[in-house]
Structures are given as C-alpha cells and as structure tokens.
Amino acid sequence: GTLAAIGGTGLTIAQEDDSEEEEEEAESAEPVAAFDDVEGTDIDVLNYALSLEHLENAFYREALDTFDEDDFVESESLEDYDEEVQTAVYGYLETIGQHEATHVEVLSQAIELLGGTPVEEAEYDFGLETADDVFVLGQVLENTGVAAYQGAAPFVESPDLLSAALSIHSVEARHAALLNEVT
C-alpha cells in the first residue's frame, strides 16, 4: 500500500532481468531513491513539510477522538446546511485525517530513502472545546499548509519530489476549500 503511494513520488525498486539470481536479488531489494539530494536541501524541505503534516495529522486524530458525528452535525458552523451536508462533513473529516496520516508516512519514507532522519511528531495542545473549534482551527491549519507547500516548492531540487509536493499541495487545497466553506 505505502510503496504504491510512494510510487508516484519518484521512488523505484531496483530490478534486474539478466538472470534468475539477479531477479531474486531484485525481488528482495529495498526501495531506493531515484533522485539525488547532494546538499541535503530536499531532506530539509521534506522535514519542514513533515512537521506540518505531523501537526495536521495530530489535529484530526484528536478532533475525531474528541467529537463524534452528532457533535459536528449539531455545530453552529453547519446549521445553515441541509441534513445531507451536515452528515457528510464528518466523513470528509475522517478522509482528511486519513490523507494527513498518509502524508506523514510518505514524507517519512522519502526522507529515509534520501538518507535523512524524519522529524518526530511534537506534542500539541489544540484547545478544542467544540466541533466549531475544529472547523476554525482546521481552516487555519489547512490554509497554512497550502501556503507552506507553495512557499517551499522553489527550494525543492528534485523534479520528482517537486511533483510529489505539488500533489500534496493540491490535496491540502481541497481540504482548505472544504473548511473555508463551512467556517
């Protein structure tokens, strides 16, 4: 699963077709980066992105552990929407949370493949008291994420990593759009 997700980020698995022995070696080969990071810049940029993804991942994890679907349906933020939208939003938040967890996995593996050490998740105090707080803080985090990826893009040296970062950027933009709508 994760390697399939990473497949689009410029990672390859070494493969040899010349003999059975080489083929067996290829099947057991660890994934290797298909790009260089000579000065470490890409590792730095990826760790910057990973720090943000850790924050977002922890936020959605806490939000979904703290509030249930009814809390969101009954929130002031959703009171002007019909029941179908109100009930759908919780599923959207679950999906966003899954995206953030995947971003953490993919970025961590990319950093390791480049020979770096992924930054660890910090401890956060989001101060969430209501489901409306989730929408307000989520909007801030997602819009910050969109700006961070856009700002970091010029510093990415590898075209493959730039493509991956822009892909994550577009996902973050969709998250921001949802939260901008309901906040």
Side-chain angles (χ1 to χ4, degrees), residues 22-58:
E22 289 175 341
E23 194 171 297
E24 286 173 16
E25 287 175 13
E27 288 174 6
S28 65
E30 291 295 316
V32 294
F35 39 80
D36 292 330
D37 186 20
V38 178
E39 297 179 21
T41 304
D42 286 344
I43 291 172
D44 293 339
V45 173
L46 289 173
N47 264 321
Y48 168 75
L50 180 57
S51 295
L52 173 67
E53 296 298 342
H54 275 310
L55 175 69
E56 292 176 336
N57 184 39

Side-chain angles (χ1 to χ4, degrees), residues 114-179:
L114 288 170
T117 301
V119 295
E120 297 292 322
E121 180 177 295
E123 290 187 29
Y124 311 100
D125 180 3
F126 298 109
L128 301 175
E129 295 180 15
T130 68
D132 289 299
D133 292 342
V134 173
F135 293 127
V136 171
L137 186 53
Q139 178 188 32
V140 171
L141 292 175
E142 294 297 347
N143 283 293
T144 299
V146 170
Y149 276 97
Q150 185 175 349
F155 300 101
V156 176
E157 296 173 346
S158 165
D160 293 321
L161 288 177
L162 181 59
S163 175
L166 292 175
S167 174
I168 293 174
H169 172 267
S170 71
V171 172
E172 296 295 333
R174 289 192 298 274
H175 297 170
L178 171 71
L179 292 162

